[in-house]
Amino acid sequence: MTAKHFLSLMDFSRDDLAQIIERASELKHLHAAGVHHRPLEGKTLAMIFELKSTRTRVAFEAGMHQLGGHAIFLRPDETQLGRGEPVGDTARVLSSLVDIVMLRVLDHTDLNSFAAVSSVPVINGMSNRFHPCQLLADMQTFIEKRGSIRDQSVAFIGDGYNLCNSYMLASDRFEFDLTISTPPEFRPNKDLLDKNRRAHWVATPQEAVSGANLVVTDVWSSMGQENQLAERREAFQGFQVDSNLLDHADTNALFMHCLPAHRGEEISVDLLEDPRSVVWEEAGNRLHSQKALLEFMLG
Ligand code: CP
C-alpha cells in the first residue's frame, strides 16, 4: 500500500510538520478574513469514533466542510464493525468509497491493522498510544504566541499516557527539551523515553516545571480507564498543576491542556482562567491544524 498515513508524529519529517504548522496559521488567517478556500471539493473523509470526542470530531467535520469536502461520522456500534466485520475488511471497503479515513480507537494495534491494508491515507484521531493531532494544535499555539519552540523547555506533568507519548515524539520532531514528572507507577513508556534523547523523567512536578517555557498536563483517568478513577485520584495526589506550580516556570511560560479538563483534579479550579493559560486558543487551533493536515495529506 502506498498511502501516506499519520499514525504518529514520526510518520512525517520535521520539514513536513513545520510546513503543516505554518500552513495552519495561514489557513487561520484566511478563515478569519472570510476567504473561501475549497481545495478538497469532491473529497470525502470517513471518521470512525470508537471513543467519545468533541474537539477532534468537530474540527475535522467543520474543517472538511470549510475546505469544500465532506465528512462522514461513523460509530462502530452503528456500522458492521459493531457486528464483527474485521477491521481489515472495513479498511479495504472504505478505501474504495472515501479519500481519507480518521480513526479514534482504544487499541493502537487496530489503527495499525486498518492502515496496513488501507489504500487511502489514515489519520490517528487518538489511540491509547498517541494523539498526534493534538500536538499539531499545541505546536501551532506555542509558535504563534512565542515563536520557535526549538531548544525551548517543556514540562509534562501527570499521566505517562498517550499525550505524554506524543510529547516525547514531538521533542524529537520539534527539537525541544521535555521534562516529564509522573507518579512512579505511571511513568511514561520506557522504550519511547530511551529513544527520545531530549525527553527525561524527574520525580517532582516542581523540578519538571522549573524554568519551563511551556507546561502541559492531561486528565488522570483517560477514556477506557474509568474503572480506575478512585485509585488514580489517590496516586496522582501532589501532581495537580496550579498557579503556584506555574510560578516555578519561566516568567513568560504558557500553560496548555488538551481538554476536557477536570477542575480540582489535574488542574486547580481556576487554572484555565490564569493569564498563562492558552487552552481556548489551543482548542480553536485544532480546526486550523487539522485543516492543514487534511490539505497536506490530500495534496
Ligand atoms: N483533546 C481532544 O482530543 O478532545 P476531544 O476528546 O473532545 O476530541
Side-chain angles (χ1 to χ4, degrees):
M1 297 296 161
T2 55
K4 179 78 176 152
H5 304 310
F6 185 56
L7 307 188
S8 89
L9 292 172
M10 301 315 281
D11 289 330
F12 286 179
S13 69
R14 288 179 181 147
D15 285 348
D16 289 344
L17 291 167
Q19 187 185 323
I20 291 167
I21 303 292
E22 192 178 334
R23 183 65 179 153
S25 294
E26 286 170 9
L27 290 173
K28 184 175 177 174
H29 289 122
L30 285 178
H31 186 62
V35 175
H36 291 268
H37 173 65
R38 300 169 66 83
L40 302 189
E41 240 167 65
K43 302 283 187 193
T44 304
L45 163 72
M47 308 184 295
I48 300 176
F49 279 95
E50 190 181 292
L51 301 167
K52 292 182 178 15
S53 169
T54 299
R55 283 144 285 268
T56 308
R57 176 186 173 180
V58 175
F60 272 123
E61 200 162 326
M64 269 314 268
H65 174 72
Q66 290 170 17
L67 292 170
H70 179 64
I72 303 173
F73 173 71
L74 298 166
R75 277 175 35 170
D77 64 343
E78 290 176 354
T79 68
Q80 299 292 2
L81 273 170
R83 291 181 62 242
E85 184 167 19
V87 166
D89 292 1
T90 306
R92 283 191 181 89
V93 172
L94 288 186
S95 293
S96 64
L97 299 176
V98 301
D99 302 283
I100 187 163
V101 180
M102 186 238 79
L103 294 99
R104 171 169 283 195
V105 293
L106 189 53
D107 186 348
H108 192 81
T109 58
D110 288 340
L111 196 57
N112 287 335
S113 303
F114 192 103
V117 292
S118 175
S119 59
V120 298
V122 174
I123 297 172
N124 179 0
M126 198 188 81
S127 69
N128 62 333
R129 195 154 162 76
F130 299 117
H131 197 357
C133 294
Q134 183 66 50
L135 265 291
L136 295 182
D138 289 14
M139 294 300 102
Q140 181 192 348
T141 308
F142 187 92
I143 291 163
E144 285 179 350
K145 295 266 172 205
R146 295 286 185 266
S148 173
I149 197 163
R150 188 175 184 183
D151 293 332
Q152 297 289 286
S153 169
V154 178
F156 185 95
I157 310 300
D159 189 9
Y161 192 54
N162 53 6
L163 191 66
C164 181
N165 289 344
S166 287
Y167 262 92
M168 283 194 274
L169 299 189
S171 71
D172 173 88
R173 298 285 87 177
F174 293 91
E175 300 178 284
F176 56 78
D177 296 316
L178 176 67
T179 308
I180 301 162
S181 183
T182 69
E185 61 271 45
F186 296 100
R187 281 174 74 124
N189 180 287
K190 186 175 179 327
D191 287 348
L192 287 176
L193 198 56
D194 290 346
K195 271 188 205 144
N196 288 283
R197 60 179 181 81
R198 298 192 74 142
H200 68 284
W201 181 89
V202 297
T204 68
Q206 289 76 14
E207 193 182 344
V209 166
S210 177
N213 306 104
L214 170 63
V215 178
V216 185
T217 191
D218 194 6
V219 292
W220 291 342
S221 297
S222 295
M223 286 183 276
Q225 299 166 342
E226 289 81 1
N227 60 348
Q228 304 168 25
L229 281 175
E231 68 197 69
R232 281 174 167 266
R233 268 188 205 125
E234 185 67 28
F236 282 93
Q237 288 308 309
F239 286 82
Q240 183 184 84
V241 180
D242 60 16
S243 57
N244 290 331
L245 184 66
L246 283 189
D247 289 345
H248 292 266
D250 185 84
T251 49
N252 216 19
L254 298 177
F255 169 73
M256 292 189 198
H257 188 309
C258 67
L259 304 177
H262 293 174
R263 293 172 174 86
E265 291 192 9
E266 77 277 2
I267 54 162
S268 55
V269 171
D270 54 356
L271 193 69
L272 298 187
E273 313 313 326
D274 187 285
R276 293 164 286 192
S277 164
V278 289
V279 296
W280 310 120
E281 286 130 300
E282 180 189 5
N285 279 338
R286 296 294 303 275
L287 172 66
H288 311 295
S289 55
Q290 287 173 204
K291 281 171 71 178
L293 176 68
L294 290 165
E295 195 184 60
F296 181 85
M297 293 183 79
L298 287 170

